[in-house]
Amino acid sequence: MENEDLIRKAGNYVFTLFKEKLSKKLVYHNYKHTFEVVKEARQLAEGYSLPPEDLEILVLAAWFHDTGYISTYENHEEESVDIATAFLTEEKYPPEKIEQINNCIMATKHGSVTHHLLEDILVDADIANIGKETFFATAELLRVEWEIYLGRTFSDLEWAQYQLDFLLSVSFRTQPAQAKFSKQLSKNIQTQRTHQQELSKKKKKKEKKNRENLAQPKRGIETMFKSTYDNHISLSAIADNKANMMISLNAIIMSIIITYLGTKSSIIGAEFTRNPVLMIPVGILLATTLASVISAIISAQPEVTSFRLRPDKLTSRRINLLFFGNFTKIPLEDFQNGMHDIMKDKNALYNNMITDIYYLGDVLKNKYRLLRISYTIFMIGIILTVVSFVIAIAR
């Protein structure tokens, strides 16, 4: 008979340890999982009529195999070994048995090779979930854990495929486990395969629907493009009108100043000759109007965005075959082929329209930036002219 007092004490110790130190975010690797592993280990061991000493080692290893989760998620087995060793050493447990327990714990690490029957039993008990009807529910708990602690996120299809691959890659190592879980494991594999296929079909159907929706122009899409183009054209017209206004206003002011200063026989011309200080406000006004009109002219100046194109680059996102600044750079034959391709592929059509809108916006940004500079210079010039004129008169 194994030492039931020590096993009970170990179970209480693990329960208290998990209660006080295990994160509540561990929804899979918690006390419930550990308790079920202990239970399965005992039941699988019955098929071998193990000696009491071996059963004791197996059960103690089952209790401690996941205790390392209290401090780390990855490579928790090493931490579990340290915790088990500390507890059993304090209980004056034989060192050679502690080593066997630690070997069993390390055997539960993914990819480890087992060397003893006790290790095989514990590993089978640890993965017994794959041969139960509750597999799919508990697998979702593991998925949550991985998202929290490992940062691994899966779509439903990715998770279904991962779980199917896992079920197909693992197998029970002991005969009792095979007899007990193989039937349900086969059902789980089939269910998971069916689920994966359904999700795959749904994904393909959704992708096909998205392609069809994009390939067939919808009223909302057409309205959006039409509205955007109209807005850009209206804004461009407003910018040009504002630029023309600034050009006309500044041109008139400069003409008046130049005319009066050039007429030496006029009263104003004579006055300026006798009082050169008055030339300061006039000079300021002339300089600022000149700068303002230059900015306005540059803003109103036609701007064409163009690229050096190659036939093999006609599908680039930066290329817009609908804009003359682009297509006039390529031979007629290449342009015709490109347009035929666009008419066949709505993706390409939308891409060209989107590119056109982008560069229209870029042109508008430059227009309004230059207009703002022009208006600002004009405003500052008027203020400085008035101030300097008042100062000159006051003297």
Side-chain angles (χ1 to χ4, degrees), residues 104-118:
C104 289
I105 293 173
M106 291 305 300
T108 62
K109 188 171 185 176
H110 182 68
S112 296
V113 178
T114 55
H115 302 91
H116 194 277
L117 176 61
L118 297 181

Side-chain angles (χ1 to χ4, degrees), residues 196-218:
Q196 187 272 340
Q197 291 172 349
E198 290 175 351
L199 291 174
S200 182
K201 289 179 181 178
K202 286 182 180 179
K203 181 181 179 181
K204 291 179 180 178
K205 185 177 180 180
K206 184 177 180 181
E207 291 175 348
K208 181 180 179 181
K209 183 178 180 181
N210 290 337
R211 288 195 298 269
E212 290 175 350
N213 288 340
L214 191 59
Q216 299 174 1
K218 298 298 182 181

Side-chain angles (χ1 to χ4, degrees), residues 5 75 89 96 105 111 123 145 190 228 235 256 262 312 326 351:
D5 290 337
N75 300 319
T89 300
E96 62 276 7
I105 293 173
V123 171
E145 271 194 12
Q190 185 57 44
T228 304
L235 289 172
I256 293 173
D312 60 335
N326 287 179
N351 185 62

Side-chain angles (χ1 to χ4, degrees), residues 308-347:
R308 293 183 178 180
L309 305 182
R310 298 195 308 271
D312 60 335
K313 296 296 183 182
L314 292 179
T315 57
S316 170
R317 291 187 176 185
R318 291 176 55 84
I319 304 306
N320 176 23
L321 283 180
L322 305 180
F323 179 57
F324 75 93
N326 287 179
F327 67 70
T328 54
K329 300 291 184 180
I330 61 176
L332 174 60
E333 183 180 353
D334 292 333
F335 174 67
Q336 290 173 335
N337 292 334
M339 290 300 292
H340 281 298
D341 290 338
I342 289 177
M343 288 186 287
K344 293 176 184 177
D345 184 4
K346 292 301 186 293
N347 264 330

Side-chain angles (χ1 to χ4, degrees), residues 37-263:
V37 171
V38 172
K39 177 183 174 183
E40 293 296 342
R42 283 184 178 276
Q43 293 179 358
L44 295 178
E46 291 176 359
Y48 290 100
S49 300
L50 293 177
E53 294 81 4
D54 287 350
L55 183 59
E56 179 181 285
I57 291 172
L58 174 64
V59 175
L60 287 173
W63 274 118
F64 284 98
H65 83 285
D66 274 349
T67 51
Y69 278 110
I70 65 171
S71 58
T72 183
Y73 196 88
E74 296 186 275
N75 300 319
H76 67 278
E77 293 85 1
E78 287 82 355
E79 292 292 329
S80 300
V81 165
D82 292 341
I83 294 171
T85 300
F87 172 82
L88 295 171
T89 300
E90 187 175 344
E91 294 296 324
K92 306 294 190 296
Y93 203 66
E96 62 276 7
K97 291 187 177 181
I98 294 178
E99 184 177 358
Q100 287 182 276
I101 291 173
N102 291 342
N103 290 337
C104 289
I105 293 173
M106 291 305 300
T108 62
K109 188 171 185 176
H110 182 68
S112 296
V113 178
T114 55
H115 302 91
H116 194 277
L117 176 61
L118 297 181
E119 298 173 10
D120 288 336
I121 295 175
L122 183 58
V123 171
D124 283 351
D126 194 26
I127 64 171
N129 177 61
I130 65 174
K132 296 181 179 180
E133 294 180 359
T134 57
F135 166 74
F136 301 100
T138 52
E140 288 300 315
L141 299 178
L142 182 63
R143 178 181 178 180
V144 171
E145 271 194 12
W146 283 4
E147 290 179 354
I148 294 173
Y149 288 94
L150 302 181
R152 297 180 63 181
T153 56
F154 299 84
S155 65
D156 290 340
L157 178 57
E158 290 172 341
W159 183 248
Q161 184 62 56
Y162 183 89
Q163 290 297 95
L164 178 60
D165 293 340
F166 176 72
L167 290 174
L168 293 172
S169 65
V170 297
S171 59
F172 292 106
R173 309 183 184 197
T174 61
Q175 192 279 328
Q178 293 172 3
K180 183 177 182 180
F181 299 116
S182 291
K183 185 177 180 180
Q184 185 59 46
L185 174 59
S186 298
K187 291 182 179 179
N188 289 345
I189 290 174
Q190 185 57 44
T191 301
Q192 188 67 30
R193 181 179 284 113
T194 301
H195 181 56
Q196 187 272 340
Q197 291 172 349
E198 290 175 351
L199 291 174
S200 182
K201 289 179 181 178
K202 286 182 180 179
K203 181 181 179 181
K204 291 179 180 178
K205 185 177 180 180
K206 184 177 180 181
E207 291 175 348
K208 181 180 179 181
K209 183 178 180 181
N210 290 337
R211 288 195 298 269
E212 290 175 350
N213 288 340
L214 191 59
Q216 299 174 1
K218 298 298 182 181
R219 185 176 297 275
I221 297 175
E222 292 176 344
T223 302
M224 178 194 71
F225 278 115
K226 183 178 183 302
S227 175
T228 304
Y229 273 114
D230 289 344
N231 288 339
H232 278 72
I233 292 172
S234 297
L235 289 172
S236 182
I238 292 172
D240 289 339
N241 288 336
K242 288 181 178 292
N244 290 332
M245 183 179 69
M246 289 302 296
I247 292 170
S248 301
L249 178 60
N250 284 287
I252 291 171
I253 294 174
M254 286 191 296
S255 297
I256 293 173
I257 293 174
I258 293 172
T259 299
Y260 276 107
L261 290 180
T263 308

Side-chain angles (χ1 to χ4, degrees), residues 318-380:
R318 291 176 55 84
I319 304 306
N320 176 23
L321 283 180
L322 305 180
F323 179 57
F324 75 93
N326 287 179
F327 67 70
T328 54
K329 300 291 184 180
I330 61 176
L332 174 60
E333 183 180 353
D334 292 333
F335 174 67
Q336 290 173 335
N337 292 334
M339 290 300 292
H340 281 298
D341 290 338
I342 289 177
M343 288 186 287
K344 293 176 184 177
D345 184 4
K346 292 301 186 293
N347 264 330
L349 174 61
Y350 289 153
N351 185 62
N352 275 265
M353 294 174 71
I354 291 169
T355 303
D356 193 31
I357 290 173
Y358 177 85
Y359 285 110
L360 282 174
D362 189 56
V363 170
L364 278 178
K365 180 192 72 173
N366 292 329
K367 278 181 176 289
Y368 278 90
R369 179 177 60 83
L370 290 168
L371 272 178
R372 183 177 181 84
I373 293 173
S374 178
Y375 274 84
T376 302
I377 292 173
F378 182 78
M379 178 182 66
I380 294 174

Side-chain angles (χ1 to χ4, degrees), residues 5-43:
D5 290 337
L6 178 60
I7 292 175
R8 185 163 44 251
K9 190 173 183 179
N12 292 334
Y13 174 79
V14 172
F15 174 80
T16 303
L17 187 69
F18 280 0
K19 182 179 180 181
E20 295 177 353
K21 297 185 178 181
L22 191 68
S23 172
K24 298 297 187 293
K25 295 179 181 179
L26 284 163
V27 291
Y28 179 82
H29 291 103
N30 48 27
Y31 180 79
K32 179 182 178 182
H33 169 71
T34 298
F35 182 82
E36 290 178 351
V37 171
V38 172
K39 177 183 174 183
E40 293 296 342
R42 283 184 178 276
Q43 293 179 358

